Amino acid sequence: VPRLSDAAASRGDADRVLAAMARGRWAADVASLADVRAEVLLSEVLAYLGGQPRIRDPRLTALTEHDAEHGGILVPAVLAWLDAFGDVRAAARVLNIHPNTVRYRVRRATEVSGVDFDDPAQRILTQLQLRL
């Protein structure tokens, strides 16, 4: 940093980067905030949402509870499918299962929760809340 007064903020950024690297899929030993900005910001958004139970969708809470009681297979499938932008084959590769199994689990998650995955707002809310 150019001035000593900026050192505390720089240390805070370094801590944010290290935390993101520890949580994420970062393979390198060194990174800058620019390298992991998305992971840092997402983790901060999730931390904020974690402290705000009023802004959670009860349908997704019901889905996670149902999933916990029945083997925990729906939520990972939905998250992998959302991460893959609806590409069933890509999600299946990540989960190491058959694409039809992904289709079934996403369909079952829709039945259990009532979430409409054709609605972009519901998709992003689902992705954020299930990451909590």
Side-chain angles (χ1 to χ4, degrees):
V1 293
R3 294 180 307 259
L4 184 56
S5 62
D6 297 332
S10 179
R11 170 59 195 260
D13 287 347
D15 289 341
R16 293 166 70 198
V17 168
L18 290 172
M21 290 174 68
R23 281 189 308 275
R25 304 167 290 232
W26 197 257
D29 293 332
V30 177
S32 70
L33 182 56
D35 295 331
V36 294
R37 187 175 313 278
E39 290 86 356
V40 167
L41 296 175
L42 179 60
S43 69
E44 290 173 358
V45 167
L46 291 174
Y48 175 77
L49 290 176
Q52 304 294 323
R54 291 182 18 182
I55 57 175
R56 295 213 183 105
D57 188 330
R59 299 173 300 174
L60 296 170
T61 302
L63 175 61
T64 56
E65 290 170 355
H66 175 276
D67 207 34
E69 295 170 4
H70 295 91
I73 59 172
L74 300 180
V75 169
V78 169
L79 280 173
W81 179 76
L82 289 169
D83 285 348
F85 298 103
D87 183 337
V88 172
R89 292 190 184 283
R93 278 192 301 275
V94 167
L95 296 170
N96 198 29
I97 59 177
H98 194 276
N100 286 341
T101 305
V102 174
R103 288 183 189 93
Y104 168 77
R105 291 178 183 178
V106 171
R107 198 169 42 251
R108 182 72 182 125
T110 300
E111 293 168 0
V112 168
S113 68
V115 172
D116 177 7
F117 292 121
D118 291 330
D119 180 348
Q122 291 185 46
R123 282 194 310 266
I124 194 163
L125 178 64
T126 298
Q127 198 164 23
L128 288 171
Q129 188 169 328
L130 293 183
R131 287 182 183 277
L132 289 174

